[in-house]
């Protein structure tokens, strides 16, 4: 029966193959291919306009790829017949601008997708919302509205909202870039904890300390292509390409 064994390599939870994305005449992604294994933390670096966020948004089809293929688990999400809502229910996304409902409490913000998408009962959604708000350090703020919370707290509500859906992977699009510097650490601490718990994560960020501490793999993008990738030590301490060296030189 040994021919049925498939344990040699971890199963890629996300597979991107020859991905292109254009906005009219502007080509933002130029043939990106990438595999992310289950439980892996991949940090994506690069200058503004390099295609990092566009790649992330193509993974759950918030942006429509121009060409190429993307698989999530065993489903090709670039297939027009794919039920995107089913896929998105398993892919948590955290944006740089929180995207909370201003008129709802933190708890209600975390409940709403559970009830509408997962069809959980109000009681179950409320229980899971409170558990996840406690997990991100906001157990005493469940009834606060976004305007009563700091930016860092709002971003932690957004993370709790994504976690409440029991995602198989979490996508973070510059989650700390809209925050005051003193609020960044609280959000990064939550993300560090998630990584320690084995959550698969793709993180677009400029936080180099976080990348060094948490990433299994660092990817450097520029001009719509992956220029270089490797362990944090490889990319930060021994970059192979001049474009990577120039970028890291500017931000150190």
């Amino acid at each position: 029966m040994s021919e049925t064994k498939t344990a040699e390599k971890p199963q890629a939870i996300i597979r991107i193959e020859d991905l292109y994305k254009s906005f009219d005449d502007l080509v933002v992604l130029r043939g990106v291919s990438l595999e992310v294994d289950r439980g892996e933390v991949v940090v994506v670096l690069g200058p503004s306009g390099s295609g990092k966020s566009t790649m992330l948004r193509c993974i759950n089809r918030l942006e429509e790829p121009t060409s190429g293929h993307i698989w999530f688990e065993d489903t090709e999400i670039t297939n027009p017949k794919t039920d995107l809502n089913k896929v998105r229910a398993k892919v948590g996304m955290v944006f740089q601008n929180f995207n909370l409902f201003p008129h709802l409490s933190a708890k209600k913000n975390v409940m709403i997708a559970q009830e509408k998408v997962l069809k959980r009962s109000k009681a179950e959604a409320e229980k899971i919302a409170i558990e996840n708000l406690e997990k991100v350090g906001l157990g005493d703020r469940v009834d606060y509205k976004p305007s009563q919370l700091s930016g860092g707290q709002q971003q932690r509500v957004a993370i709790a909202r994504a976690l409440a859906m029991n995602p198989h992977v979490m996508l973070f699009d510059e989650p700390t870039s809209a925050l005051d510097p003193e609020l960044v650490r609280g959000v990064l601490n939550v993300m560090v904890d998630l990584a320690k718990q084995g959550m698969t994560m793709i993180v677009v960020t400029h936080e180099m300390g976080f990348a060094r501490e948490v990433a299994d793999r660092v990817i450097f993008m520029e001009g719509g292509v992956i220029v270089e990738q490797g362990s944090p030590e490889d990319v930060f301490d021994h970059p192979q390409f001049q474009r990577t060296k120039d970028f890291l030189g500017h931000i150190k």
Side-chain angles (χ1 to χ4, degrees), residues 5-202:
K5 280 175 70 178
T6 55
E8 296 86 12
K9 186 181 184 303
Q11 184 205 353
I13 190 168
I14 289 172
R15 202 151 48 91
I16 301 172
E17 197 174 276
D18 205 25
L19 182 66
Y20 282 80
K21 174 61 183 176
S22 300
F23 296 95
D24 298 322
D25 294 334
L26 178 66
V27 183
V28 178
L29 295 175
R30 303 170 184 269
V32 170
S33 294
L34 176 68
E35 289 194 1
V36 177
D37 289 332
R38 198 175 295 277
E40 190 176 19
V41 178
V42 175
V43 171
V44 187
L45 308 176
S48 295
S50 58
K52 312 180 301 291
S53 294
T54 300
M55 179 181 76
L56 216 60
R57 291 170 69 85
C58 284
I59 289 172
N60 64 358
R61 292 271 302 279
L62 287 175
E63 296 290 357
E64 193 67 35
T66 303
S67 66
H69 302 276
I70 304 171
W71 287 266
F72 171 71
E73 295 179 329
D74 297 325
T75 303
E76 186 188 348
I77 63 170
T78 38
N79 183 330
K81 295 177 181 162
T82 296
D83 182 347
L84 282 181
N85 289 331
K86 238 180 191 173
V87 172
R88 286 181 182 141
K90 299 176 189 171
V91 179
M93 181 110 186
V94 177
F95 302 87
Q96 75 185 79
N97 292 323
F98 326 137
N99 290 6
L100 300 178
F101 292 107
H103 61 291
L104 297 180
S105 67
K107 180 176 70 181
K108 289 276 174 60
N109 264 287
V110 180
M111 288 172 63
I112 192 164
Q114 296 183 64
E115 293 178 276
K116 289 190 181 307
V117 178
L118 301 183
K119 308 300 182 196
R120 286 177 179 156
S121 68
K122 185 178 178 186
E124 186 186 12
E126 183 171 26
K127 176 175 173 285
I128 290 168
I130 292 169
E131 283 170 4
N132 280 286
L133 286 165
E134 285 172 350
K135 193 184 279 188
V136 300
L138 293 175
D140 59 343
R141 298 281 192 277
V142 298
D143 293 318
Y144 284 45
K145 289 187 175 166
S147 61
Q148 299 171 294
L149 300 170
S150 71
Q153 290 170 333
Q154 289 181 61
Q155 190 59 294
R156 283 187 273 153
V157 173
I159 294 172
R161 174 180 60 190
L163 289 176
M165 304 295 284
N166 298 121
H168 296 190
V169 63
M170 290 275 283
L171 309 177
F172 292 88
D173 188 7
E174 305 209 14
T176 59
S177 65
L179 301 179
D180 293 330
E182 68 271 17
L183 301 176
V184 167
R185 191 69 236 174
V187 173
L188 292 180
N189 284 341
V190 171
M191 294 167 66
V192 169
D193 288 343
L194 284 179
K196 286 177 180 166
Q197 292 159 27
M199 175 64 74
T200 308
M201 295 160 60
I202 306 178

